[in-house]
Amino acid sequence: MATEIKTYDVVIIGAGLAGLRAALAAHEEGVSVAVLTKVYPVRSHSNAAQGGINAALTDRGDSWEEHAFETVKGGDYLSDQDAVEILAQEAGRDIIALEHMGVIFSRNEEGRLGTRRFGGQQRARTFFVSDFTGQAMLHVLYEQILRAKIPVYDEWFVTSLVHDEDGACAGAVAMDIKTGRLGTFAAKATIMATGGLGRVYEPSTNALICTGDGMALAYRAGAPLMDMEMVQYHPTTLKGKGLLITEAARGEGAYLLNSEGERFMARYAPTMMELASRDVVSRAEQTEILEGRGVNGCVLLDCRHLGKAFILDRLRQIYEEAKTFANIDLTEEPIPVRPGMHYQMGGIKADVDGRCWDPEGQWKGLVGLFAAGETACVSLHGGNRLGANSLLDTIVFGRRAGQCAAEFARTRLAPRLSPAMAEQDHRLIQSIIAREGTGETVAGLRYTMGTTMNRYLSVFRDEEGIETARRVIHELKERWNGVAIKDKGRIFNTGVIAVLELSMMLDCAEAIIHSASIRKESRGAHFRTDYLERDDEGWLKHILLYYRPDGPPEVAYLPVRITRWQPQARVY
Amino acid sequence: MHTILRVRRFNPESPNPAPYDQEYVLDLEPSETVLDGLLKIRETVDDSLTLRCSCRGAICGSCGMRINGHAMLACKTKIVTVAPHGGLIRVEPMSNMPVIKDLVTDMEPFWQKIRQVEPWLQPEGPPPETEYVVPQAAMQHLTGVMACIMCGVCVSDCTVWEVDSTFLGPAALAKAYRFVADPRDAATMRRLLALNQPTGMWDCTRCMECVEVCPKHVAPMDRIMALRAKGMSARVPSTCGSRHAEVFTDIIRQKGRLDEPLLAVKTLGLRNWGRLLSMLPLAIQSFIHRKLPPSGPLHRAIPGIRSIRRIFARVEKRS
């Protein structure tokens, strides 16, 4: 089946904050750019980032070194410190650039940008727009995309990455969801910015579109995934669907209480209390719940003492959310919360310019591919991400990836792709549509996968559980071949997309399990009850996985890059 | 709770593509949402049911649809609020936009209007070294309109758009307001002049639908009224809409009650013979049915006119 080929210098997959920031940066470098996204850009999950974005603005007495150090400490010393230094140093400039684009950051009495406190940090350095910071930033970046008239292919679902004769990444094959037709996008540089993989877990704070597409696509195409065992559980999620209650609630002063009304964090993190790093708070909550001091499997988040006016001004969205989805008035009663899957620290291995290969050849990668945002692992966040560092990650490293991809594209000739490149994906889609029902459904498999991951690869892990999960996921991959859908049409066939997403999620799940089984220590979010201590001697290194279609992934290691902060005991 | 979801379906690829209703009987908790119900259908009964959805928390704006006749986000709409005692819930795609399949509408007409208002900040000259220094009070109120998630619900239920699809519509006008009211934006006059054109801010009929259905309390109609006020104080060329507002206020100030014939004549303008003549049959009909109120010199001020003027004075002092 021949498809139309569209050619651009840089193609960006994903239209959340990282993708849009990368697109703007590449456009400003003067190359031709297109953005592919499976939803409309403003539907992207960057929307969900509530609390804010960190930056140490040196002109108001903050120090980037302090921000960098707290990020490294928060990451339990698994972060690559050269990347963290770049993040902290360039944060101020990028925040100001956003303000100039139009983001309506909250201001102080002098009319300058104001800050609030967030977890894992001594100082208030989180800039914010009420409690919908991500949404406010995403909409403004999309405004800038409209201004720049950058073509956006809305509702195009990428089915695979393509290679040129030399094996470099040369673009992607994607399906126009509205027509069901496949198209090939030839690109000198391809940037992956598809966000996270939350739906591998059930429940998760993540939106239904967070299915790890980018990680699976890059992994299958030859790029390694790194630190995949590092899955963050957020301390304050609602029971049931797992919706997020922003950390800003604690940042603004809310307490965590157990069934005895005790502020239990005093026993786990006497100095930082509720604002210790997320892995620490989540483990504390889970311990309280397991030891019988929970309230129906939750602990309580108490905002009452903040006062109604303050809550309505600074925490308006969660006030509404609690009212709508938990039937609770935050100003009058505490709200039950529990740790819930929230963020993947790991992802496609990328360097500080977003490159998914090493020009110096110290690790194998995929030339021509870049990655930014949650789908990437520049290893900023190490073993645990600080709140409000994810937005910063998308903005700083999205921009850098866009700039570097444009520069790289200028040195390349446009790849010559054959219209038959989409043939394999076309046949796969046809075969999925043609499958006769065997009783297997996407929903059934997804639920089993999600609950398995949430049981065995959550706050506490051990070998037995990890191996159980491995068996379950392996079996689900077999059963995936029998999943059939009722919709036999081409137009807006969401059934086909769900089947394809499920297969990507299963690859991601396998990678998480494999990495978790290898790392025999407790570090950051990866806490093993059979290896309780952090082991810097043996495990101060990254785990890289390479996809092997017919067996377990190939494993490689990279040392952690340490510039100025030697690992210390981590106390909050 | 025993609930029936009657879903409007449409398959463009069927031999005879025509919309039809399909009923699904479900057992749902009152606290569950319409989206929960639809997902349950998709997961357990019929995976061909097509809809957009993502965040489940009323922040992404994907799942706008009509529920019992009004547009809303399915993820924010609880079963108990639309069917307190169980029973039937009607679910249809949003209006005023073409339907692609089942509950999925083609949003292009929506985005086209958004693009039309040049929705990006247009400051004057190069930006300062650091941030723009602006009082928090001048910015904070913008969070209310920035809360818009572009779900399309207001456009779906806009009664003007329904009869005139060239109308900019509530979402695009609210978006335009966000820039007109932003102290950093320098294109205010150009924006107001563009919005002053036909299909712009004066075409809203103030039916309140958009205010009622907006899931994020953006109150688009209030933003449109604020745009009009800004336009009038910036002295954009008068339109029927602005003259109507001015003449209406003047008459009330002088007489305390409306002089409808005078309002029509002054709004349309004495030289606007065509429009004035077209009003004549209405005037004659009203006269015959003795519903034409006395006008001009015959239209007397009401007895309490002094109090009315005091109200005017007080309001004008405040603003």
Side-chain angles (χ1 to χ4, degrees):
Chain A
M1 188 212 60
T3 59
E4 195 190 338
I5 299 181
K6 300 179 174 74
T7 305
Y8 294 94
D9 291 326
V10 179
V11 161
I12 292 138
I13 304 171
L17 286 172
L20 296 184
R21 189 66 191 87
L24 274 179
H27 172 82
E28 278 159 21
E29 296 289 320
V31 298
S32 71
V33 179
V35 179
L36 307 184
T37 161
K38 66 178 178 179
V39 292
Y40 289 109
V42 298
R43 311 282 180 245
S44 305
H45 190 58
S46 304
N47 260 334
Q50 297 172 339
I53 175 167
N54 289 331
L57 260 61
T58 43
D59 66 351
R60 35 216 92 165
D62 200 351
S63 110
W64 71 263
E65 289 94 341
E66 196 179 300
H67 178 200
F69 168 68
E70 286 176 339
T71 301
V72 168
K73 180 182 173 188
D76 219 351
Y77 295 91
L78 190 64
S79 315
D80 281 334
Q81 296 181 5
D82 54 344
V84 176
E85 288 191 19
I86 289 173
L87 178 87
Q89 278 175 304
E90 298 186 357
R93 203 184 88 192
D94 277 318
I95 295 265
I96 295 299
L98 281 174
E99 198 277 331
H100 291 162
M101 288 179 200
V103 178
I104 48 163
F105 286 115
S106 180
R107 284 167 152 76
N108 60 21
E109 312 76 54
E110 293 149 36
R112 309 191 68 189
L113 304 190
T115 51
R116 64 160 46 126
R117 272 196 76 190
F118 243 62
Q121 307 179 80
Q122 302 284 350
R123 216 191 275 261
R125 65 167 63 93
T126 304
F127 296 88
F128 63 99
V129 183
S130 185
D131 60 355
F132 59 95
T133 315
Q135 179 194 324
M137 286 169 55
L138 181 67
H139 282 242
V140 167
L141 279 183
Y142 185 53
E143 292 164 11
Q144 294 298 311
I145 295 287
L146 293 176
R147 177 186 58 77
K149 302 202 163 42
I150 295 170
V152 178
Y153 291 84
D154 298 314
E155 301 194 313
W156 280 70
F157 182 82
V158 174
T159 49
S160 62
L161 294 179
V162 293
H163 301 87
D164 64 12
E165 306 91 34
D166 305 328
C169 182
V173 174
M175 178 168 73
D176 180 359
I177 299 173
K178 292 183 209 81
T179 62
R181 291 204 189 87
L182 289 178
T184 304
F185 290 81
K188 297 175 186 171
T190 307
I191 304 179
M192 197 60 89
T194 52
L197 49 60
R199 299 321 302 179
V200 168
Y201 284 71
E202 180 64 47
S204 161
T205 62
N206 288 195
L208 302 176
I209 55 172
C210 301
T211 50
D213 303 7
M215 292 182 211
L217 289 167
Y219 186 44
R220 291 169 181 177
L225 298 180
M226 186 165 94
D227 297 345
M228 290 296 283
E229 70 279 23
M230 296 302 179
V231 177
Q232 180 167 78
Y233 270 62
H234 193 287
T236 53
T237 72
L238 293 182
K239 205 172 168 175
K241 285 178 244 176
L243 294 176
L244 175 70
I245 298 289
T246 173
E247 183 165 304
R250 284 170 289 138
E252 302 285 12
Y255 302 144
L256 285 171
L257 307 175
N258 61 16
S259 61
E260 289 154 22
E262 176 206 10
R263 274 182 82 185
F264 58 87
M265 282 311 298
R267 284 184 277 115
Y268 300 87
T271 316
M272 296 289 278
M273 297 290 287
E274 282 86 356
L275 287 178
S277 68
R278 288 178 176 173
D279 58 326
V280 172
V281 180
S282 283
R283 267 196 299 281
E285 290 179 1
Q286 199 62 35
T287 307
E288 291 298 301
I289 295 165
L290 290 172
E291 290 178 359
R293 291 184 296 277
V295 181
N296 299 324
C298 292
V299 295
L300 298 172
L301 179 72
D302 191 351
C303 299
R304 287 173 297 183
H305 56 286
L306 301 177
K308 188 159 186 166
F310 184 86
I311 289 174
L312 288 181
D313 176 26
R314 310 258 285 213
L315 302 167
R316 180 172 128 168
Q317 186 168 296
I318 60 158
Y319 171 79
E320 296 258 332
E321 187 183 316
K323 220 167 185 178
T324 310
F325 299 104
N327 208 14
I328 281 176
D329 182 344
L330 280 186
T331 62
E332 282 172 12
E333 40 176 333
I335 179 163
V337 292
R338 63 179 184 183
M341 190 281 170
H342 182 57
Y343 187 85
Q344 169 60 287
M345 270 72 74
I348 309 164
K349 161 68 180 156
D351 71 8
V352 293
D353 290 306
R355 280 183 290 242
C356 300
W357 76 97
D358 182 10
E360 283 157 27
Q362 289 180 14
W363 49 278
K364 283 184 298 168
L366 179 56
V367 175
L369 182 70
F370 296 75
E374 189 173 347
T375 201
C377 180
V378 188
S379 198
L380 293 170
H381 310 304
N384 168 69
R385 174 174 68 76
L386 291 190
N389 263 359
S390 60
L391 289 185
L392 184 59
D393 175 7
T394 64
I395 291 304
V396 172
F397 288 93
R399 171 180 54 74
R400 291 178 66 98
Q403 286 166 339
C404 186
E407 212 170 284
F408 175 79
R410 273 201 222 100
T411 68
R412 308 279 287 189
L413 294 172
R416 284 220 299 269
L417 300 180
S418 136
M421 283 235 156
E423 183 60 31
Q424 207 181 342
D425 291 346
H426 176 70
R427 276 205 303 265
L428 174 65
I429 289 167
Q430 290 309 110
S431 79
I432 291 171
I433 292 177
R435 280 180 198 169
E436 291 298 325
T438 56
E440 296 289 13
T441 63
V442 173
L445 266 59
R446 193 175 57 75
Y447 187 75
T448 308
M449 170 185 69
T451 49
T452 303
M453 296 299 284
N454 193 45
R455 177 155 177 208
Y456 298 113
L457 286 121
S458 53
V459 177
F460 296 116
R461 306 162 171 189
D462 63 17
E463 182 162 343
E464 202 189 325
I466 293 170
E467 292 310 318
T468 307
R470 196 199 297 274
R471 280 194 301 278
V472 172
I473 299 300
H474 185 76
E475 188 199 306
L476 292 176
K477 286 187 95 164
E478 297 288 318
R479 287 167 60 189
W480 179 84
N481 295 300
V483 172
I485 50 168
K486 206 174 140 188
D487 191 344
K488 303 298 177 194
R490 289 162 67 102
I491 297 174
F492 232 100
N493 190 329
T494 48
V496 168
I497 291 169
V499 176
L500 293 172
E501 286 174 337
L502 176 62
S503 106
M504 302 206 212
M505 287 193 282
L506 287 165
D507 281 351
C508 292
E510 209 171 51
I512 295 168
I513 292 166
H514 203 74
S515 279
S517 73
I518 293 172
R519 186 174 289 280
K520 294 186 168 51
E521 63 157 351
S522 288
R523 181 185 299 273
H526 178 69
F527 193 94
R528 294 206 32 171
T529 52
D530 44 358
Y531 301 92
L532 291 167
E533 299 299 320
R534 190 175 85 193
D535 172 12
D536 291 332
E537 211 61 0
W539 287 104
L540 195 59
K541 59 186 178 190
H542 301 291
I543 300 172
L544 273 69
L545 302 180
Y546 292 87
Y547 182 70
R548 293 290 169 265
D550 304 311
E554 190 184 311
V555 180
Y557 299 97
L558 271 179
V560 172
R561 294 157 87 106
I562 291 177
T563 56
R564 50 171 100 191
W565 298 285
Q566 289 303 320
Q568 303 167 5
R570 190 160 163 259
V571 186
Y572 280 106
Chain B
M1 198 163 68
H2 191 72
T3 311
I4 303 163
L5 291 182
R6 181 189 288 166
V7 183
R8 176 67 52 86
R9 308 224 31 197
F10 173 67
N11 178 5
E13 292 167 282
S14 76
N16 299 310
Y20 63 97
D21 285 335
Q22 191 163 352
E23 287 189 3
Y24 301 92
V25 181
L26 299 168
D27 198 26
L28 294 170
E29 296 294 318
S31 63
E32 284 189 290
T33 63
V34 172
L35 181 64
D36 291 329
L38 293 170
L39 290 178
K40 213 168 259 188
I41 295 171
R42 218 158 71 162
E43 290 178 357
T44 59
V45 191
D46 183 353
D47 65 11
S48 73
L49 177 63
T50 307
L51 63 143
R52 291 191 183 102
C53 58
S54 180
C55 74
R56 309 159 296 147
I59 48 175
C60 79
S62 303
C63 66
M65 55 187 75
R66 267 184 308 152
I67 297 166
N68 284 347
H70 288 280
M72 42 193 102
L73 295 177
C75 72
K76 205 191 172 190
T77 307
K78 283 194 213 164
I79 299 294
V80 68
T81 52
V82 283
H85 312 291
L88 184 79
I89 299 171
R90 286 177 293 125
V91 184
E92 298 158 300
M94 289 195 287
S95 296
N96 288 342
M97 286 167 269
V99 177
I100 295 176
K101 183 173 177 177
D102 290 349
L103 300 170
V104 175
T105 49
D106 179 2
M107 296 281 288
E108 185 45 34
F110 175 92
W111 296 112
Q112 193 237 319
K113 298 294 173 52
I114 298 288
R115 289 193 294 269
Q116 210 176 316
V117 301
E118 299 189 359
W120 51 85
L121 192 72
Q122 300 180 29
E124 193 168 12
E129 277 285 294
T130 61
E131 71 269 51
Y132 290 99
V133 177
V134 191
Q136 167 73 349
M139 296 296 284
Q140 194 184 12
H141 69 106
L142 289 174
T143 57
V145 62
M146 274 306 284
C148 170
I149 54 174
M150 306 264 146
C151 62
V153 157
C154 58
V155 165
S156 164
D157 284 16
C158 173
T159 53
V160 177
W161 189 306
E162 194 180 340
V163 293
D164 177 11
S165 62
T166 64
F167 177 43
L168 267 177
L173 284 166
K175 187 78 177 171
Y177 169 81
R178 174 250 173 287
F179 295 102
V180 167
D182 190 324
R184 298 169 299 179
D185 193 273
T188 313
M189 198 58 198
R190 206 164 53 77
R191 291 182 191 279
L192 286 172
L193 287 171
L195 297 170
N196 199 46
Q197 297 300 312
T199 77
M201 60 185 177
W202 293 104
D203 281 19
C204 167
T205 58
R206 308 175 61 157
C207 74
M208 293 284 291
E209 250 336 285
C210 60
V211 179
E212 285 193 13
V213 296
C214 175
K216 303 301 282 188
H217 313 301
V218 172
M221 192 197 83
D222 296 352
R223 314 294 172 178
I224 300 173
M225 295 311 122
L227 280 175
R228 289 180 180 179
K230 282 192 184 287
M232 287 168 74
S233 50
R235 304 227 162 271
V236 293
S238 69
T239 59
C240 279
S242 64
R243 281 193 301 274
H244 185 273
E246 279 168 345
V247 174
F248 194 111
T249 322
D250 273 354
I251 295 174
I252 300 293
R253 189 203 311 269
Q254 284 167 22
K255 302 282 174 68
R257 62 176 167 170
L258 207 52
D259 177 346
E260 277 150 326
L262 187 68
L263 177 66
V265 171
K266 281 194 160 179
T267 298
L268 295 171
L270 267 175
R271 296 204 194 111
N272 197 348
W273 284 109
R275 285 293 300 280
L276 283 174
L277 273 175
S278 74
M279 304 281 289
L280 206 55
L282 179 69
I284 294 167
Q285 283 284 327
S286 307
F287 183 74
I288 293 168
H289 292 96
R290 314 177 81 185
K291 285 192 173 169
L292 192 70
S295 182
L298 301 175
H299 184 71
R300 298 260 169 78
I302 60 169
I305 186 66
R306 286 205 176 149
S307 317
I308 298 281
R309 287 180 191 153
R310 274 202 297 277
I311 294 172
F312 267 90
R314 194 174 294 177
V315 169
E316 277 161 1
K317 201 169 147 201
R318 199 185 298 163
S319 58

